[in-house]
Amino acid sequence: QVQLVESGGGLVQAGGSLRLSCAASGNIVRINAMGWYRQAPGKQRELVAITTEGASTNYADSVKGRFTISRDNAKNTVHLQMNSLKPEDTAVYSCMVRVLRVGVVGWTDHWGQGTQVTVSS
């Protein structure tokens, strides 16, 4: 089993900042990708930011220059620093990790429960 614990969501005014964190635990041998996705009401889930084992990163165009993803490999944790937040950033943000597990062949993807981020205008 793989457990993901997310924290850091909440309500903030436009222009403010929030920091999301996601800690992975369980029968993990190795973690490849760690990322954040979001889903706003009535919209499809979209990639916000992702970082790979080789430390490469990829961001949605809408958050480039405002959001920064980072990971702590020693703690199996990924963070998303969100600055200059806009009302359109309002969504449920979910953590995703791609891992190798003990006794399981191949990479598997796992999702957190999601945390609400609300940006007021």
Side-chain angles (χ1 to χ4, degrees), residues 9-121:
L11 172 65
V12 65
Q13 288 188 332
S17 298
L18 284 173
R19 180 178 169 87
L20 304 182
S21 295
C22 173
S25 62
N27 59 343
I28 297 170
V29 174
R30 181 175 166 188
I31 298 179
N32 183 350
M34 304 185 82
W36 290 93
Y37 290 72
R38 68 185 181 188
Q39 187 167 21
K43 294 187 177 181
Q44 289 189 333
R45 184 169 62 191
E46 63 173 351
L47 172 68
V48 177
I50 193 165
T51 178
T52 66
E53 194 173 11
S56 65
T57 57
N58 190 35
Y59 294 91
D61 287 343
S62 60
V63 307
K64 284 180 181 176
R66 300 189 297 123
F67 291 11
T68 302
I69 191 169
S70 62
R71 62 191 280 176
D72 183 337
N73 291 324
K75 297 181 179 180
N76 287 347
T77 300
V78 62
H79 306 285
L80 184 68
Q81 179 66 43
M82 304 185 293
N83 298 328
S84 302
L85 282 160
K86 304 175 181 180
E88 51 264 43
D89 293 318
T90 295
V92 175
Y93 285 68
S94 298
C95 170
M96 186 283 295
V97 298
R98 180 164 296 154
V99 307
L100 279 176
R101 299 164 56 192
V102 175
V104 177
V105 176
W107 300 99
T108 55
D109 292 349
H110 303 266
W111 294 85
Q113 78 281 4
T115 184
Q116 178 69 45
V117 170
T118 302
V119 185
S120 62
S121 58

